[in-house]
Amino acid sequence: MPRFVVTPWEVKGKVDYEKLVKQFGTKLIDAALLKKLERYAGGLHMFLRRGIFFSHRDFDWILNMYEKGEKFYLYTGRGPSGYTHIGHLIPWIFTKHLQDVFDAELYFQMTDDEKFLFKRELSLKDATGFTYDNALDVIACGFDPRKTFIFSDVEYAKTLYRTAIQVAKHITFSTVKAVFGFTNENNIGTIFFPAIQAAPCFFPSVLKGKNIPCLIPAAIDQDPYWRPSRDVAPKLGFYKPAQLHCKFIPGLGEGGKMSASQPETCIFTTDKPEVAKRKIMNAFTGGRATIKEQREKGGNPEVCSVYQYYYFMFEEDDEKLEEIYRECKNGDRICGDCKKILAERVGRFLVDHQRKREKAKSVIQDFMLKD
Ligand code: TRP
């Protein structure tokens, strides 16, 4: 039995990302690719330097096309089943970076239909409500309103449906069974849904009347969706969508990704700084039982959730990050202080994000696609 599981609905255990790349048949982002990207971006984003975005499909191809003058658009999304947490922001922050570097349009799918179909207890009204709530967090990441199109599947169904049925016609039940593990007990909406998530890989090309390459930055758990999408693409006369995959930010507990189902180990974007502080002060660390022991033997940043937060988001300077690591290992850094510093940074981030989130309320209609 594998010690970890990664599917679009479940991430369990300690993920071995190199193994996952082999299992999924994607490629690691290598030094040559990073070098190429560095040229365009004038440096490497922290998420690339640290291997947080670590895997891809056809990203080299997208860059070659770009070099030849063929611009791509970005596609990403969110399943609106609850409030946004910090982990959700990682791919969005990176997508915003890509939008800036490549001057790319972004199509952002809110799969309220998916969450309604897959979550027994979630009503359609609540799922669509979360679409609008979560869209505020997306907008707060700073996307360009002239180039960013957010849509609810339920409300943009007319446009999506035309492309989705073209995709669906080429995907058999046995394929989605093999890819997603569907069984005869699945409701029939879930079986059709992969065609809806595939549609934004193509419909912008349909809307513009020409074939445009598509790049999808997303967490690696979404990869299964892109396999049938890529298989179908040439049959419909489209380019295969390319992907950039990221890892999961861990929760504040011991192991496991950040998950809204464990609110005490999860920092929501709407948490008050005091609430986030309380969660951080209770976090699982790599510290020793006593301060004395910590000073003598040092801590273990490798297993520490607090260190992971510096690594993923809250210490951009690589040298300073290394210093944190060293100080911890040497026993010069005590968990209580380390948590307090993190809590201050997270608090500042939240205040700023919440301010932008409030402002987003007055411009949300400029971002939403309707048909
Ligand atoms: N299925 C995704 C989720 O549950 C939402 C989603 C739709 C998505 N389209 C996407 C995520 C494209 C990343 C990229 O969160």
Side-chain angles (χ1 to χ4, degrees), residues 26 40 51 55 70 76 78 121 158 177 191 195 214 220-221 224 232 250-252 259 263 273 280 282 306 345 370:
T26 67
Y40 291 113
S55 152
E70 209 166 327
T76 194
R78 154 84 178 141
E121 70 287 8
K158 189 173 155 196
K177 270 190 194 163
I191 295 161
C214 167
I220 186 113
D221 64 328
V232 166
L252 289 163
S259 165
I280 291 167
N282 289 329
V306 174
R345 291 186 189 181
K370 290 271 160 68

PDB file of all heavy atoms in Angstrom, residues 26 40 51 55 70 76 78 121 158 177 191 195 214 220-221 224 232 250-252 259 263 273 280 282 306 345 370:
ATOM      1  N   THR A  26       4.398  13.156 -14.910  1.00  0.00           N
ATOM      2  CA  THR A  26       4.728  14.556 -15.214  1.00  0.00           C
ATOM      3  C   THR A  26       6.246  14.681 -15.221  1.00  0.00           C
ATOM      4  O   THR A  26       6.958  13.686 -15.072  1.00  0.00           O
ATOM      5  CB  THR A  26       4.112  15.510 -14.163  1.00  0.00           C
ATOM      6  OG1 THR A  26       4.746  15.297 -12.897  1.00  0.00           O
ATOM      7  CG2 THR A  26       2.617  15.273 -14.021  1.00  0.00           C
ATOM      8  N   TYR A  40      12.984  35.610 -18.746  1.00  0.00           N
ATOM      9  CA  TYR A  40      11.758  36.395 -18.943  1.00  0.00           C
ATOM     10  C   TYR A  40      11.366  37.156 -17.698  1.00  0.00           C
ATOM     11  O   TYR A  40      10.889  38.274 -17.754  1.00  0.00           O
ATOM     12  CB  TYR A  40      10.598  35.478 -19.332  1.00  0.00           C
ATOM     13  CG  TYR A  40      10.765  34.903 -20.693  1.00  0.00           C
ATOM     14  CD1 TYR A  40      10.977  33.553 -20.866  1.00  0.00           C
ATOM     15  CD2 TYR A  40      10.730  35.739 -21.805  1.00  0.00           C
ATOM     16  CE1 TYR A  40      11.145  33.027 -22.118  1.00  0.00           C
ATOM     17  CE2 TYR A  40      10.905  35.221 -23.060  1.00  0.00           C
ATOM     18  CZ  TYR A  40      11.121  33.858 -23.216  1.00  0.00           C
ATOM     19  OH  TYR A  40      11.301  33.349 -24.454  1.00  0.00           O
ATOM     20  N   GLY A  51      11.390  25.228  -5.036  1.00  0.00           N
ATOM     21  CA  GLY A  51      10.794  23.976  -5.482  1.00  0.00           C
ATOM     22  C   GLY A  51       9.358  23.783  -5.018  1.00  0.00           C
ATOM     23  O   GLY A  51       8.879  22.663  -4.901  1.00  0.00           O
ATOM     24  N   SER A  55       6.876  20.776 -10.704  1.00  0.00           N
ATOM     25  CA  SER A  55       6.618  19.795 -11.759  1.00  0.00           C
ATOM     26  C   SER A  55       5.811  20.453 -12.886  1.00  0.00           C
ATOM     27  O   SER A  55       5.192  21.501 -12.685  1.00  0.00           O
ATOM     28  CB  SER A  55       5.849  18.632 -11.109  1.00  0.00           C
ATOM     29  OG  SER A  55       5.012  17.962 -12.022  1.00  0.00           O
ATOM     30  N   GLU A  70       3.852  33.471 -29.938  1.00  0.00           N
ATOM     31  CA  GLU A  70       2.490  33.006 -29.693  1.00  0.00           C
ATOM     32  C   GLU A  70       2.176  33.038 -28.197  1.00  0.00           C
ATOM     33  O   GLU A  70       2.703  32.234 -27.424  1.00  0.00           O
ATOM     34  CB  GLU A  70       2.300  31.589 -30.252  1.00  0.00           C
ATOM     35  CG  GLU A  70       0.861  31.386 -30.640  1.00  0.00           C
ATOM     36  CD  GLU A  70       0.649  30.153 -31.513  1.00  0.00           C
ATOM     37  OE1 GLU A  70       1.538  29.801 -32.309  1.00  0.00           O
ATOM     38  OE2 GLU A  70      -0.419  29.552 -31.381  1.00  0.00           O
ATOM     39  N   THR A  76      -6.836  28.755 -14.095  1.00  0.00           N
ATOM     40  CA  THR A  76      -6.782  28.051 -12.821  1.00  0.00           C
ATOM     41  C   THR A  76      -8.171  28.112 -12.191  1.00  0.00           C
ATOM     42  O   THR A  76      -9.118  28.606 -12.818  1.00  0.00           O
ATOM     43  CB  THR A  76      -5.660  28.583 -11.905  1.00  0.00           C
ATOM     44  OG1 THR A  76      -5.445  27.657 -10.836  1.00  0.00           O
ATOM     45  CG2 THR A  76      -5.961  29.946 -11.328  1.00  0.00           C
ATOM     46  N   ARG A  78     -10.935  27.133  -8.475  1.00  0.00           N
ATOM     47  CA  ARG A  78     -11.143  26.866  -7.050  1.00  0.00           C
ATOM     48  C   ARG A  78     -12.480  26.149  -6.890  1.00  0.00           C
ATOM     49  O   ARG A  78     -13.471  26.516  -7.554  1.00  0.00           O
ATOM     50  CB  ARG A  78     -11.137  28.212  -6.317  1.00  0.00           C
ATOM     51  CG  ARG A  78     -11.907  28.258  -5.011  1.00  0.00           C
ATOM     52  CD  ARG A  78     -11.088  27.765  -3.836  1.00  0.00           C
ATOM     53  NE  ARG A  78     -11.822  27.855  -2.593  1.00  0.00           N
ATOM     54  CZ  ARG A  78     -11.775  26.929  -1.629  1.00  0.00           C
ATOM     55  NH1 ARG A  78     -11.036  25.842  -1.776  1.00  0.00           N
ATOM     56  NH2 ARG A  78     -12.449  27.081  -0.517  1.00  0.00           N
ATOM     57  N   GLU A 121     -23.480  17.174   1.712  1.00  0.00           N
ATOM     58  CA  GLU A 121     -24.155  18.115   2.617  1.00  0.00           C
ATOM     59  C   GLU A 121     -24.203  19.548   2.086  1.00  0.00           C
ATOM     60  O   GLU A 121     -24.845  20.410   2.681  1.00  0.00           O
ATOM     61  CB  GLU A 121     -23.502  18.063   4.013  1.00  0.00           C
ATOM     62  CG  GLU A 121     -22.100  18.640   4.130  1.00  0.00           C
ATOM     63  CD  GLU A 121     -21.000  17.771   3.497  1.00  0.00           C
ATOM     64  OE1 GLU A 121     -21.302  16.765   2.812  1.00  0.00           O
ATOM     65  OE2 GLU A 121     -19.832  18.124   3.664  1.00  0.00           O
ATOM     66  N   LYS A 158     -23.873  28.275 -19.974  1.00  0.00           N
ATOM     67  CA  LYS A 158     -24.222  28.279 -21.396  1.00  0.00           C
ATOM     68  C   LYS A 158     -22.961  28.217 -22.261  1.00  0.00           C
ATOM     69  O   LYS A 158     -22.874  27.411 -23.190  1.00  0.00           O
ATOM     70  CB  LYS A 158     -25.024  29.540 -21.702  1.00  0.00           C
ATOM     71  CG  LYS A 158     -25.634  29.569 -23.058  1.00  0.00           C
ATOM     72  CD  LYS A 158     -26.546  30.777 -23.188  1.00  0.00           C
ATOM     73  CE  LYS A 158     -26.673  31.172 -24.634  1.00  0.00           C
ATOM     74  NZ  LYS A 158     -27.209  32.531 -24.774  1.00  0.00           N
ATOM     75  N   LYS A 177     -13.466   6.192 -14.903  1.00  0.00           N
ATOM     76  CA  LYS A 177     -13.357   5.227 -13.800  1.00  0.00           C
ATOM     77  C   LYS A 177     -11.888   4.997 -13.472  1.00  0.00           C
ATOM     78  O   LYS A 177     -11.489   4.984 -12.308  1.00  0.00           O
ATOM     79  CB  LYS A 177     -13.961   3.885 -14.216  1.00  0.00           C
ATOM     80  CG  LYS A 177     -15.419   3.724 -13.934  1.00  0.00           C
ATOM     81  CD  LYS A 177     -15.751   2.244 -14.186  1.00  0.00           C
ATOM     82  CE  LYS A 177     -17.215   1.988 -14.269  1.00  0.00           C
ATOM     83  NZ  LYS A 177     -17.507   0.701 -14.902  1.00  0.00           N
ATOM     84  N   ILE A 191     -19.817  12.125 -12.881  1.00  0.00           N
ATOM     85  CA  ILE A 191     -19.185  11.439 -14.012  1.00  0.00           C
ATOM     86  C   ILE A 191     -18.996  12.400 -15.190  1.00  0.00           C
ATOM     87  O   ILE A 191     -17.993  12.345 -15.899  1.00  0.00           O
ATOM     88  CB  ILE A 191     -20.032  10.212 -14.419  1.00  0.00           C
ATOM     89  CG1 ILE A 191     -20.021   9.203 -13.270  1.00  0.00           C
ATOM     90  CG2 ILE A 191     -19.520   9.572 -15.700  1.00  0.00           C
ATOM     91  CD1 ILE A 191     -21.135   8.172 -13.324  1.00  0.00           C
ATOM     92  N   ALA A 195     -15.574  16.851 -17.763  1.00  0.00           N
ATOM     93  CA  ALA A 195     -15.684  17.586 -19.035  1.00  0.00           C
ATOM     94  C   ALA A 195     -15.856  19.084 -18.779  1.00  0.00           C
ATOM     95  O   ALA A 195     -15.426  19.928 -19.581  1.00  0.00           O
ATOM     96  CB  ALA A 195     -16.858  17.049 -19.855  1.00  0.00           C
ATOM     97  N   CYS A 214      -2.670  27.155 -23.643  1.00  0.00           N
ATOM     98  CA  CYS A 214      -3.220  27.353 -22.306  1.00  0.00           C
ATOM     99  C   CYS A 214      -2.235  26.802 -21.272  1.00  0.00           C
ATOM    100  O   CYS A 214      -1.743  25.690 -21.427  1.00  0.00           O
ATOM    101  CB  CYS A 214      -4.543  26.598 -22.226  1.00  0.00           C
ATOM    102  SG  CYS A 214      -5.224  26.406 -20.574  1.00  0.00           S
ATOM    103  N   ILE A 220      -0.753  19.931  -7.454  1.00  0.00           N
ATOM    104  CA  ILE A 220      -0.589  18.678  -8.212  1.00  0.00           C
ATOM    105  C   ILE A 220      -1.799  17.746  -8.091  1.00  0.00           C
ATOM    106  O   ILE A 220      -2.013  16.894  -8.952  1.00  0.00           O
ATOM    107  CB  ILE A 220       0.720  17.952  -7.820  1.00  0.00           C
ATOM    108  CG1 ILE A 220       0.983  16.714  -8.702  1.00  0.00           C
ATOM    109  CG2 ILE A 220       0.719  17.546  -6.354  1.00  0.00           C
ATOM    110  CD1 ILE A 220       2.154  16.811  -9.577  1.00  0.00           C
ATOM    111  N   ASP A 221      -2.634  17.921  -7.083  1.00  0.00           N
ATOM    112  CA  ASP A 221      -3.798  17.023  -6.944  1.00  0.00           C
ATOM    113  C   ASP A 221      -4.788  17.188  -8.097  1.00  0.00           C
ATOM    114  O   ASP A 221      -5.617  16.304  -8.327  1.00  0.00           O
ATOM    115  CB  ASP A 221      -4.523  17.255  -5.599  1.00  0.00           C
ATOM    116  CG  ASP A 221      -5.113  18.634  -5.482  1.00  0.00           C
ATOM    117  OD1 ASP A 221      -4.541  19.589  -6.056  1.00  0.00           O
ATOM    118  OD2 ASP A 221      -6.160  18.790  -4.833  1.00  0.00           O
ATOM    119  N   PRO A 224      -4.980  14.782 -12.382  1.00  0.00           N
ATOM    120  CA  PRO A 224      -5.824  13.797 -13.078  1.00  0.00           C
ATOM    121  C   PRO A 224      -6.803  14.442 -14.079  1.00  0.00           C
ATOM    122  O   PRO A 224      -7.082  13.864 -15.132  1.00  0.00           O
ATOM    123  CB  PRO A 224      -6.580  13.112 -11.937  1.00  0.00           C
ATOM    124  CG  PRO A 224      -5.639  13.220 -10.768  1.00  0.00           C
ATOM    125  CD  PRO A 224      -4.947  14.549 -10.928  1.00  0.00           C
ATOM    126  N   VAL A 232      -7.940  14.567 -25.248  1.00  0.00           N
ATOM    127  CA  VAL A 232      -9.019  15.010 -26.132  1.00  0.00           C
ATOM    128  C   VAL A 232      -8.588  16.165 -27.045  1.00  0.00           C
ATOM    129  O   VAL A 232      -9.052  16.277 -28.182  1.00  0.00           O
ATOM    130  CB  VAL A 232     -10.243  15.433 -25.271  1.00  0.00           C
ATOM    131  CG1 VAL A 232     -11.242  16.215 -26.082  1.00  0.00           C
ATOM    132  CG2 VAL A 232     -10.896  14.205 -24.638  1.00  0.00           C
ATOM    133  N   PRO A 250       1.760  22.651   4.354  1.00  0.00           N
ATOM    134  CA  PRO A 250       1.253  21.803   5.436  1.00  0.00           C
ATOM    135  C   PRO A 250       0.366  22.577   6.408  1.00  0.00           C
ATOM    136  O   PRO A 250       0.422  23.813   6.452  1.00  0.00           O
ATOM    137  CB  PRO A 250       2.517  21.316   6.152  1.00  0.00           C
ATOM    138  CG  PRO A 250       3.631  22.146   5.665  1.00  0.00           C
ATOM    139  CD  PRO A 250       3.205  22.884   4.445  1.00  0.00           C
ATOM    140  N   GLY A 251      -0.420  21.856   7.183  1.00  0.00           N
ATOM    141  CA  GLY A 251      -1.192  22.495   8.245  1.00  0.00           C
ATOM    142  C   GLY A 251      -0.288  22.807   9.423  1.00  0.00           C
ATOM    143  O   GLY A 251       0.915  22.507   9.399  1.00  0.00           O
ATOM    144  N   LEU A 252      -0.859  23.399  10.459  1.00  0.00           N
ATOM    145  CA  LEU A 252      -0.053  23.743  11.636  1.00  0.00           C
ATOM    146  C   LEU A 252       0.080  22.563  12.602  1.00  0.00           C
ATOM    147  O   LEU A 252       0.722  22.671  13.635  1.00  0.00           O
ATOM    148  CB  LEU A 252      -0.675  24.937  12.366  1.00  0.00           C
ATOM    149  CG  LEU A 252      -0.551  26.283  11.641  1.00  0.00           C
ATOM    150  CD1 LEU A 252      -1.534  27.291  12.207  1.00  0.00           C
ATOM    151  CD2 LEU A 252       0.869  26.812  11.737  1.00  0.00           C
ATOM    152  N   SER A 259      -5.905  22.102   5.781  1.00  0.00           N
ATOM    153  CA  SER A 259      -7.237  21.716   5.361  1.00  0.00           C
ATOM    154  C   SER A 259      -8.284  22.427   6.202  1.00  0.00           C
ATOM    155  O   SER A 259      -8.181  22.488   7.430  1.00  0.00           O
ATOM    156  CB  SER A 259      -7.382  20.199   5.523  1.00  0.00           C
ATOM    157  OG  SER A 259      -8.738  19.856   5.465  1.00  0.00           O
ATOM    158  N   PRO A 263      -9.917  23.288  11.354  1.00  0.00           N
ATOM    159  CA  PRO A 263      -9.759  24.752  11.443  1.00  0.00           C
ATOM    160  C   PRO A 263      -8.686  25.227  12.419  1.00  0.00           C
ATOM    161  O   PRO A 263      -8.118  26.293  12.225  1.00  0.00           O
ATOM    162  CB  PRO A 263     -11.158  25.238  11.876  1.00  0.00           C
ATOM    163  CG  PRO A 263     -11.897  24.033  12.321  1.00  0.00           C
ATOM    164  CD  PRO A 263     -11.277  22.850  11.653  1.00  0.00           C
ATOM    165  N   PRO A 273      -5.955  38.608  13.203  1.00  0.00           N
ATOM    166  CA  PRO A 273      -4.563  38.320  13.568  1.00  0.00           C
ATOM    167  C   PRO A 273      -4.440  37.601  14.919  1.00  0.00           C
ATOM    168  O   PRO A 273      -3.607  36.694  15.055  1.00  0.00           O
ATOM    169  CB  PRO A 273      -3.912  39.702  13.618  1.00  0.00           C
ATOM    170  CG  PRO A 273      -4.709  40.520  12.661  1.00  0.00           C
ATOM    171  CD  PRO A 273      -6.120  39.997  12.729  1.00  0.00           C
ATOM    172  N   ILE A 280      -1.016  29.636  15.644  1.00  0.00           N
ATOM    173  CA  ILE A 280       0.436  29.471  15.445  1.00  0.00           C
ATOM    174  C   ILE A 280       1.120  29.119  16.772  1.00  0.00           C
ATOM    175  O   ILE A 280       2.004  28.260  16.816  1.00  0.00           O
ATOM    176  CB  ILE A 280       1.046  30.754  14.821  1.00  0.00           C
ATOM    177  CG1 ILE A 280       0.548  30.902  13.380  1.00  0.00           C
ATOM    178  CG2 ILE A 280       2.576  30.712  14.855  1.00  0.00           C
ATOM    179  CD1 ILE A 280       0.819  32.258  12.747  1.00  0.00           C
ATOM    180  N   ASN A 282      -0.006  27.412  19.053  1.00  0.00           N
ATOM    181  CA  ASN A 282      -0.298  26.004  19.374  1.00  0.00           C
ATOM    182  C   ASN A 282       0.257  25.029  18.328  1.00  0.00           C
ATOM    183  O   ASN A 282      -0.034  23.833  18.364  1.00  0.00           O
ATOM    184  CB  ASN A 282      -1.816  25.786  19.447  1.00  0.00           C
ATOM    185  CG  ASN A 282      -2.407  26.444  20.678  1.00  0.00           C
ATOM    186  OD1 ASN A 282      -1.745  26.544  21.705  1.00  0.00           O
ATOM    187  ND2 ASN A 282      -3.639  26.926  20.573  1.00  0.00           N
ATOM    188  N   VAL A 306       6.087  25.299  11.713  1.00  0.00           N
ATOM    189  CA  VAL A 306       6.371  26.744  11.752  1.00  0.00           C
ATOM    190  C   VAL A 306       7.448  27.098  10.733  1.00  0.00           C
ATOM    191  O   VAL A 306       7.311  28.055   9.951  1.00  0.00           O
ATOM    192  CB  VAL A 306       6.778  27.176  13.176  1.00  0.00           C
ATOM    193  CG1 VAL A 306       7.217  28.634  13.197  1.00  0.00           C
ATOM    194  CG2 VAL A 306       5.606  26.966  14.138  1.00  0.00           C
ATOM    195  N   ARG A 345       4.233  38.299  11.409  1.00  0.00           N
ATOM    196  CA  ARG A 345       4.261  38.399   9.935  1.00  0.00           C
ATOM    197  C   ARG A 345       2.931  37.952   9.330  1.00  0.00           C
ATOM    198  O   ARG A 345       2.416  38.588   8.421  1.00  0.00           O
ATOM    199  CB  ARG A 345       5.384  37.531   9.363  1.00  0.00           C
ATOM    200  CG  ARG A 345       6.732  38.091   9.712  1.00  0.00           C
ATOM    201  CD  ARG A 345       7.832  37.325   9.021  1.00  0.00           C
ATOM    202  NE  ARG A 345       9.103  37.782   9.561  1.00  0.00           N
ATOM    203  CZ  ARG A 345      10.285  37.340   9.180  1.00  0.00           C
ATOM    204  NH1 ARG A 345      10.365  36.426   8.236  1.00  0.00           N
ATOM    205  NH2 ARG A 345      11.390  37.814   9.716  1.00  0.00           N
ATOM    206  N   LYS A 370     -20.413  36.484 -17.338  1.00  0.00           N
ATOM    207  CA  LYS A 370     -21.830  36.031 -17.307  1.00  0.00           C
ATOM    208  C   LYS A 370     -22.255  35.691 -18.726  1.00  0.00           C
ATOM    209  O   LYS A 370     -21.748  36.292 -19.677  1.00  0.00           O
ATOM    210  CB  LYS A 370     -22.729  37.164 -16.783  1.00  0.00           C
ATOM    211  CG  LYS A 370     -22.560  37.476 -15.310  1.00  0.00           C
ATOM    212  CD  LYS A 370     -23.485  36.624 -14.459  1.00  0.00           C
ATOM    213  CE  LYS A 370     -23.032  36.528 -13.018  1.00  0.00           C
ATOM    214  NZ  LYS A 370     -23.125  37.754 -12.277  1.00  0.00           N
TER     215      LYS A 370
END
